[in-house]
Amino acid sequence: MATERAIQVSELYRTYGDLIAVGGVSLAAEAGEVLALLGPNGAGKSTLISVLSGLLAPTGGDASIMGHSVTRDAAAARACLGVVPQDIALYPDLSARENLVFWGKMYGLRGRPLHARVDEVLELIGLTDRQRDRVSRYSGGMKRRVNIGVALLHHPPVVIMDEPTVGIDPQSRRRILDSVRQLNAAGMTVLYTTHYMEEAAELADHIAIMDRGLVIAYGTHDELIRMLGSQTRVDLSLDAPHEDLLDAWRAVEGVSQVDRLGANEDAQPGEQGVDDGAFPVQTGANTVTALVDDSNRVLPRLFEAASAAGARITSVDIREPNLEAVFLYLTGRALRD
Amino acid sequence: MKILDLAVKDLKRATRNLFLLGMAVAAPLLICTLMYFPLRRQQVEAVPAPVNVGVVNEDVPPSGAAPDESLGGAVEAMLDGDEVRSWISVTRLASPEAAEAALEAKRIGVAVLIPAGFTADFLGSQPSEPVTILRDPTLIVGPEAVRDMVRSLLDGVISGRVAHETLSAYIPSARLSEVVARYVGWYAELQRGLAYGSQTSALVVAQPGAPGNGSVEPVGTMMSVMMVGQIAFFAIHTGAYFMISLLQEDEQGTLARLFTTPTSRTVILGGKFIAVTLTVLLQGLVLLAAGRLLFGVDWGQPLPVAIALASQVIVASGLGVLLISLVRTTAQAGVVLGGVLTALGMLGGLFTANLTMPAGFRALAQFIPQGRVIALWRAVISGAATGEVIGQALVTAALGAVLFAAGAVIFRRRYS
Ligand SMILES: Nc1ncnc2c1ncn2[C@@H]1O[C@H](COP(=O)(O)OP(=O)(O)O)[C@@H](O)[C@H]1O
Ligand SMILES: [Mg+2]
């Protein structure tokens, strides 16, 4: 082996009865990299992570952490792994410090080294001042930070984070993204799942796009964007839903994909990316996104078709090619729905 | 030791869980306190002299029947029974006027007036003149208890009367009065056994006699009888409600997170089992200490007390583990525990009362943890030596161990 694979997933399957949650995924993360697993809700990200962390047995295939199989050598695999679950898993009636000390013990730390490490982690997650408060009194963002801190206590070479920024304030989000960078700079391998393409773009060395239980694309950010070729993504807002118009647009020459951007409760980071910690913006219910070959040539035809259907276009937004466009290109669906 | 770290974490959380603390310590202490003050008041009046009851029985038995076959005779006999002689002393008086005068002069504390024709009215199904109770307003508990006794007897009589009306169509009248008299006698005995027997009635324990034994605190003795019931009942509740924390950890994701750490599932479950045992143990110690310090209870010899406590802890934890292993969610657990524990508590309480039970019921009682534990404590507080309780304690602990093991097996299966 040229480089050691920190995470190796081979032909992994996991079903729930008839439902195939993970349907034959092969994937690898090199030691020291950030691998983002990007996909909409229900894609199978959490299921894959449950198998990697030893909570679920795979129904087929295998996976390993630092060379230890999660099925045959589970204890060794777990010792190399810190897991940040998607839902906060802490004791609300204990303080942040009490939580960290307890979880540190579960990872086998004791005494002085334990308390020194807890101090370090509290510093890292920015909760040194509030460490004696009970977790139940924390904001959502603070809880998420403790939730992450728990997974770092034992200096694991590999950390898996399952959507760690869902539903929190911009400051906490910023802090979490920064700490992922810091951890990675210190040599940790990070598997980071998200349905925010901006996070994947910002953090990841490699990105695996997952949909309906399968990895449908894998590469660096630039490699994935190159899949779009000359295509541009345009978002068009309409005065009303106009269901028929979508089919009319699909028939327009130079248009490859059309989908509605549903008004989504899920947070969506602002356009400027996540660097400014912009808070999610809500997209209008009547906005349609399309992939087109050459916007100069195709846009007039879209306006014509709209007129013919009696629809009025209220705004047009020509986007930088991004991962969302890649997802649209691959699946015909917008990432956010 | 990770297993102890897990248990310590649970204990720490238990001390911050207001619901659990209320159930484990506050509720039993509150109930005991509520019982304590009336008892203290009663002691003030009852210890110097038992309640003097004046009975005016003008009831005439039906022709040809013995005097105690009249209803009035039944009331009189109940008040004059062996079981209650320690705290009731009956004086027979000739007329209501005499009773009022005796009350006035404080020769009696309460008077029970049974009108003439009470039995005849009853059998003849005419509206009957009720039994009247006159009482000294300055006395509280004694007259209250007498009134309760008479009332519960008459409640039984009324149902007897319904039976009488139904049956009189089929059975000749003379034969019927015999049946009814027997029924009334049986009912009076049941009432005494249930509420006023020397075992169950805290009132009766206020034995004003035994003057040579100056060290005995009568209120303490009464409290000990009541407290052991509370201690046993709430120990079982605490074991079960504590175990809900495992379901909660399952729902809140901390159990799954524990499973992702390099800690074996056996250790994780073991930590929970140690924690429930320690919680029930601590609760028992706190209640015993509170009984001693607040209510002056003398629990008896240290070794028998320790033995009773140990078997209580084992059976309470074991039942808790098993019950919670049978439910899936915290929502279900609340409902199931409410029903099952209340039913078991009632059965346990009933079985320690002095009642004649069908043999099947008796056998069943052997499996009701509350009943076993209460019986054990009763023996301990009445001064039983180690040798006299060890057998019962071992059987109780063995029952607990079986419940424990069954629950542990179910949990192992669920989380493997
Ligand atoms: N415990 C479960 N039982 C049945 N179906 C499940 C279970 N957990 C997840 N699923 C289903 O598996 C699919 C993948 O879910 P999940 O792995 O949570 O996706 P993601 O994390 O990408 O949102 C979904 O269709 C989900 O409904
Ligand atoms: Mg998920």
Side-chain angles (χ1 to χ4, degrees), chain A residues 53-55 78-79 83-85 88-95 98 102-103 105-108 110 134 147 150-151, chain B residues 1-3 5-6 9-10 12-14 16-17 249 252-265 268:
Chain A
S53 50
L55 283 177
R78 277 205 292 267
V83 183
V84 182
I88 288 155
L90 300 168
Y91 297 106
D93 40 17
L94 300 184
S95 70
E98 286 168 331
F102 169 74
W103 289 106
K105 288 176 178 167
M106 292 304 104
Y107 281 112
R110 312 262 110 190
R134 292 199 190 165
N147 202 37
V150 166
Chain B
M1 282 269 288
K2 281 186 186 176
I3 196 164
D5 296 330
L6 283 153
K9 173 264 297 174
D10 279 329
K12 196 187 271 182
R13 297 188 68 209
R16 296 178 188 180
N17 181 335
E249 290 214 39
Q252 295 180 346
T254 48
L255 189 63
R257 181 165 224 164
L258 281 169
F259 290 162
T260 70
T261 68
T263 310
S264 84
R265 297 189 181 201
I268 293 167

Side-chain angles (χ1 to χ4, degrees), chain B residues 244-255:
Chain B
I244 291 183
S245 70
L246 181 55
L247 302 179
Q248 215 168 32
E249 290 214 39
D250 196 352
E251 287 168 13
Q252 295 180 346
T254 48
L255 189 63

Side-chain angles (χ1 to χ4, degrees), chain A residues 25 32 79 95 136 205 208 241:
Chain A
V25 165
S95 70
S136 56
D205 297 302

